[in-house]
Amino acid sequence: MVASRALPAISVLGLGYVGAISAACFASRGHRVVGVDIDPRKLDLLQRGIAPVIEAGLGELVHEAVASGLLSVTDSATDAVLDSDVSLVCVATPSLAGGGLSTAFLEAVTAQIGAALRVKDGWHTVVYRSTMLPGTCEGVLIPLLEKLSGKHVGVDFGVCVNPEFLREGTSVRDFFEPPKTVVGHTEDRSAALVMSLYEGVPGPRFLVPLGVAEMAKYVDNCFHALKVDFANEIGAICTALGLESHEVMDVFLSDTKLNLSAAYLRPGFAFGGSCLPKDVRALTHTARRHDVEVPVLAHILASNEAHLRRALDTVLALGKRKVGMFGLSFKSGTDDLRESPMVELAERLIGKGCDVLIHDENVALSRLTGTNKAHIDERLPHLAELLTEDRATVADHGEVLVVAAKDEATLSAVEHAPVGTIVLDLLHVPRLRETLAGGQYLGLSW
Ligand SMILES: NC(=O)c1ccc[n+]([C@@H]2O[C@H](COP(=O)([O-])OP(=O)(O)OC[C@H]3O[C@@H](n4cnc5c(N)ncnc54)[C@H](O)[C@@H]3O)[C@@H](O)[C@H]2O)c1
């Protein structure tokens, strides 16, 4: 490919898996790329047109890029920064002994870039591709760049976070066909530049705050790890029960409505109802009976309980006694109160001395028609007394309103609550977040 003058020149700092792939792939797209590493063996290999890591397709790309003169290497970060428009930081971020993240390589390379920026005229964009915890860029790296350059981010230079979603083994293919492109940014100029590097690359694009970009990588990797362990635990139980685990998972994987979908994957309230808690309990019990260790499955209910406690603690921390609750069943649109986390929350609030009043449209209706009346009157007589059919009464009663229903009448009642009423939204209702005054609206995990 012929280099175009319009394409930004790129320096890549750190030529391991991520850096070598980035360097070779951007060069193959016509960028002039200069690579930097502190490992002389990697520099020597690249100088000779040989890939420093083994990856399908990388050898050919490196050979072509070096032969065409588009890819060169140096051990001088300063030279590389001065000789490029944008720097991609791809150094390792290994675990510390205690499990924390080491930012030592990141800080060392950032210090070198900062020193180079001090003597560089004109704009430069620093792009972090390394995986780092939210807050690292803003709290550690940008201050370091500003200190060592004597310049200001957004004024003299730009900083972006552009996580890499490659999988070792298929990383070249993943570079050209990524699942998504994510750019965390602080200002438009650098954001546009980094996005332009991926022109023509398929997949959704996200321009987000720095912390969201940093977090995106952790969410992905933790979910992938969770999926592996989930599948392996299910496999182990299947084997103990004499079932063909792959046959079971074929059935599971065929369901793209509820299983492989966005369902159940947005933060909200705890789960409950007549099925999920009972079935998680029964399957983990079965695993125990067969001496199969299933730490992931065994901790699902503990995680659910921790989430319920977050809601309880949020209300109690407000120091208000009068609580109005909208929604009592385990999810809206049903009158099923079995193992409802809202029932549990109401009971714990009452136990802590709160004066609770509750409205639930479906529960009220089922009492009226007698459907669920016996269950409510016999199992939850203490809550039956606290139910009212009038939403306004609940809204007027509560110094705090806990909202787990989002029908129009409920939202309107909440919006018309007396000034100063605090609303805890358990469902993530954008309308409430927008209409309620700051300080009046609380999300559960948002
Ligand atoms: N390997 C992957 O599949 C993958 C995928 C996505 C994200 N990541 C993340 O990307 C980052 C890099 O991962 P990797 O696997 O490529 O690491 P790596 O260990 O293979 O490579 C890092 C390179 O940085 C070099 N280096 C260290 N200090 C330097 C300095 N001051 N200047 C120049 N070079 C320096 C090292 O010598 C090494 O060659 C990590 O944060 C990792 O978590 C990795």
Side-chain angles (χ1 to χ4, degrees), residues 12-20 35-40 42 52-53 55 74-75 77 89-94 101-102 104-110 112 129-132 163-169 171 217-218 221:
V12 176
L13 296 105
L15 296 167
Y17 280 90
V18 171
V36 187
D37 205 289
I38 49 172
D39 183 345
K42 285 188 178 156
V53 295
E55 275 293 310
T74 171
D75 60 0
V89 177
C90 305
V91 296
T93 47
L101 183 82
S102 168
F105 295 119
L106 272 178
E107 290 182 57
V109 85
T110 298
Q112 289 176 310
R129 306 217 75 192
S130 301
T131 303
M132 53 191 178
E164 170 64 75
F165 299 109
L166 63 81
R167 294 162 298 174
E168 282 180 28
S171 54
K217 186 69 194 168
Y218 284 95
N221 278 352

Side-chain angles (χ1 to χ4, degrees), residues 382-404:
H382 51 303
L383 293 187
E385 286 167 19
L386 309 178
L387 279 164
T388 166
E389 277 158 41
D390 182 34
R391 292 177 175 85
T393 308
V394 174
D396 288 341
H397 167 84
E399 298 165 281
V400 185
L401 298 178
V402 180
V403 181

Side-chain angles (χ1 to χ4, degrees), residues 13-28:
L13 296 105
L15 296 167
Y17 280 90
V18 171
I21 299 294
S22 298
C25 292
F26 278 120
S28 81

Side-chain angles (χ1 to χ4, degrees), residues 332 403-411 427-429:
S332 44
V403 181
K406 54 180 174 185
D407 55 285
E408 175 56 38
T410 298
L411 296 185
L427 298 183
H428 191 259
V429 183

Side-chain angles (χ1 to χ4, degrees), residues 47-62:
Q47 229 146 20
R48 293 190 280 132
I50 302 169
V53 295
I54 303 297
E55 275 293 310
L58 183 63
E60 295 84 339
L61 282 186
V62 167

